[in-house]
Amino acid sequence: MRLLLIEDDDRIAGPLSEGLGRYGFTVDHVRTGAAGLADSTAAPDLVLLDLGLPDMDGLDVCRSLRARSAVPIIMITARGEEADRIVGLELGADDYLAKPFGVRELIARIRAVTRRAGAPAYAPTGPAETPEPHQPASGAQLLGPLALNRRTREVHLNGRHVALTPKEFDLLAFLADDPGTVYSRQQIMDTVWDPHFFGPTKTLDAHVAALRRKLGDPGWVTTARGVGFRLTVPGVPGVSEAAG
């Protein structure tokens, strides 16, 4: 699915494009309204439009896009006031997302908008929903005694239900997407939280500690010193041998 991102701030556009790319989107990024209007002639599947552009107001870009195309438009902006949202929607935007926001929330909005627009439902290819070879058709991924079901967001260990918070589940599911692979702290924060997360960096350590405690063995989530974390199966030499 091809997205056109009209955003002048590279500090936002870069991480956002990278995050969306992990979920299978192709992102074309332009920095001005004029460039966005020119690039839209290539018929993107959806437009992500910032309102605070350097050459023209994003609302004017929305008006021009809507006058010539039915392409779905999601406004992404720091303007969170109700009046701005109303004007944007009345000009033809399909949705309005105030910064800061998470990549997963944006993807959910993209899916909802494309469904309403009558386009085929988009299934992301990212870690949350991609069936891997070791993931049975039932939706449960098996790693030794651990069963993780992304569809129902349930985790069982040795047949016992493990109660996780939403973020703890997201963290476990992300690491389980490729067991044994070391993910950097930044990769984890950008995906499980979002590229614009401004909270304390220790929040990741707190969630890792909670996962280790709830899974009953710190060996489930191991630390690669100076880099990040990986998911392993305690006592099993080689994660692939533990995958069912």
Side-chain angles (χ1 to χ4, degrees):
M1 185 176 186
R2 178 174 172 261
L3 308 179
L4 173 59
L5 172 61
I6 308 176
E7 166 64 67
D8 65 309
D9 191 340
D10 289 340
R11 295 171 300 179
I12 295 175
L16 184 57
S17 297
E18 180 183 352
L20 289 168
R22 293 194 192 114
Y23 285 84
F25 291 96
T26 298
V27 182
D28 296 330
H29 171 223
V30 297
R31 296 173 177 80
T32 65
L37 291 172
D39 199 62
S40 67
T41 58
D45 297 303
L46 185 141
V47 175
L48 301 174
L49 173 63
D50 182 30
L51 294 188
L53 300 171
D55 60 333
M56 58 194 301
D57 193 292
L59 293 173
D60 294 326
V61 177
C62 179
R63 182 184 294 108
S64 298
L65 285 172
R66 187 53 70 232
R68 68 192 193 191
S69 171
V71 62
I73 301 171
I74 298 179
M75 290 182 170
I76 51 172
T77 177
R79 301 183 196 172
E81 291 79 9
E82 182 181 14
D84 289 314
R85 293 197 299 270
I86 292 173
V87 171
L89 294 171
E90 286 184 344
L91 286 175
D94 296 273
D95 205 346
Y96 193 111
L97 192 56
K99 301 173 185 175
F101 54 83
V103 171
R104 290 171 184 262
E105 179 183 3
L106 176 58
I107 290 173
R109 300 288 188 108
I110 291 171
R111 296 182 70 186
V113 165
T114 52
R115 282 197 301 268
R116 291 198 299 268
Y122 172 72
T125 58
E129 298 190 21
T130 300
E132 297 294 334
H134 54 267
Q135 183 171 327
S138 65
Q141 178 183 356
L142 303 180
L143 291 162
L146 182 71
L148 184 151
N149 193 313
R150 290 171 172 81
R151 182 175 57 82
T152 62
R153 295 181 65 86
E154 292 181 328
V155 174
H156 290 82
L157 182 62
N158 293 315
R160 176 181 59 86
H161 178 258
V162 180
L164 300 180
T165 67
K167 271 292 182 280
E168 289 166 358
F169 180 90
D170 290 343
L171 173 59
L172 179 62
F174 178 71
L175 294 175
D177 183 57
D178 194 359
T181 294
V182 175
Y183 290 99
S184 71
R185 298 176 67 91
Q186 192 61 53
Q187 283 178 301
I188 297 171
M189 293 299 297
D190 285 353
T191 305
V192 178
W193 279 263
D194 66 74
H196 314 301
F197 179 78
F198 297 110
T201 57
K202 289 297 183 182
T203 190
L204 173 56
D205 300 276
H207 281 75
V208 167
L211 266 183
R212 288 168 171 166
R213 184 178 68 255
K214 291 183 178 182
L215 294 177
D217 189 331
W220 279 104
V221 183
T222 58
T223 302
R225 192 170 300 278
V227 182
F229 300 95
R230 66 163 66 87
L231 183 71
T232 60
V233 180
V236 177
V239 174
S240 62
E241 296 178 18

